[in-house]
Amino acid sequence: MDIEKLTTPIGQFEFMLGGYPTEETAQRLFDALDFQRACQAYLDFMPAMSMYSLLEGQEKGFGCKECSDLVVTADLLDATPFILTGNTESIYFGGNVDLKKDGPTVVEIPPQVLGMANDAYFRFIVDFGMVGPDKGEGGKYLLLPPDYEGEVPEGYFVVRSRTYRVWIMARANQQISGRGEQAIKWYGDNCAVYPLKDGPRKPNIINGSGLSADTTHPSDFQYFVNLDKVIQYEPTEAFGSEQLGLLRALGIEKGQAFNPDERMKKILDTAAKTGLGMARAIAYQSREAETKVYPDRKWEYIFIGGSHEFLKNGARNLDARTLFHFTAICVTPAMVQKMIGAGSQYLGTYADANGDYLDGGQTYKLHLPPNIPINSFWSVTVYDPGTRSLLQTDQPKPSINSFDEPEYNDDGSCDIYFGPSAPAGREKNWIQTVPGKGWFTYIRLYGPLEPFFDQTWKPDDIVKIG
């Protein structure tokens, strides 16, 4: 009997009688198919798993158990919690909303903030504050469940979520909210979240500064356990039929128990670990030409392609979506659209001027030319490539920003230094790094001005000086 042999990168397979796979070939191909589907599911559902872990982290680490429990970084964010590329300058507030449990929910937003609501798949729902419908004056927003059919009262900015669970966040300039007890009072007096049916109530403000929490998603079998919880809780209509079909092939299906056998558990665990590796390659060695901010420099966009939905010409850029959700949170058009004097723009880099990864055992310098184009403030912040969270060092915070009043050069430019120890006389402009560990950095421009967009102002590459 003739045996047809197929040699591929994943092994050699045998077929008999003109096309029938042998029993061994069929099993090995099914193993490969399940593994490939699991890797793709890991990447495709990363937005949902990032949101799940964010909501769970806020509940377990910060105590946000009810919609009125609002965590405020009253003394600024430090490196204690793992939060994807959080900033150390803004006074954040964040909260968990469950529209299945509470029904339509009111969110009262303070004046002069930047914020948004995102759904359980980390999709944009609405902006709050200066780039939202309240135009920075503050206002009352009403979040409706996906299946709500009741009356809608007047007097609110009304939006409907595609999922039951929603994350709300806003950040205030510390010059507006103050810090510490002043920030707690300011948020307590100016914001509230409550079920519409219950009527207004004061928020329970939790100072999250210094509290431990882990909002990063797992990269092992637990990833798929958490994913099943999301699929069971949220409406089927929140996801596409192709997405749900991919999960069904892995044993995750609405209304059905997720009970994989040992073979599938092993495949899912390995796929999650492999997916992590793929995400790291996508984020830190991007193949997308649109990541480049400048043709002659290493700085990259966090959002690729100018769309907060990662869409271009009707197609979704899957790698752009993975890049963002692996490293960041907060999905809003304000981060990708040209909003002169409002919104925000982020630049990231993982390499020095020579193209080498940034090494915590070396010393580097970043030169920011004069007249940094901002209407609000700027910052330079350092992150851990493993956790994608603030780098944990001996410093109170791994960042320098315009509020810190760093030293400027005579021409108005500013030099920032990175390394295990500060260069002599440069302590005020130094961010500590850790030998043996890599790092990456974001430049944030809040209220970016035209010189950023027309690129008449651009930061130098980071150069190694020792």
Side-chain angles (χ1 to χ4, degrees), residues 27 79 91-92 116 122 137 242 331 367 386 399 414-415 430:
Q27 185 57 58
I91 308 295
Y92 286 103
M116 76 288 294
F122 242 126
E137 297 181 1
E242 292 288 333
V331 174
H367 180 73
S399 67
C414 186
D415 294 325
W430 165 67

Side-chain angles (χ1 to χ4, degrees), residues 204-223:
N204 172 36
I205 302 295
I206 302 162
N207 187 351
S209 297
L211 295 182
S212 178
D214 187 352
T215 70
T216 62
H217 64 255
S219 291
D220 56 15
F221 174 67
Q222 187 63 39
Y223 186 95

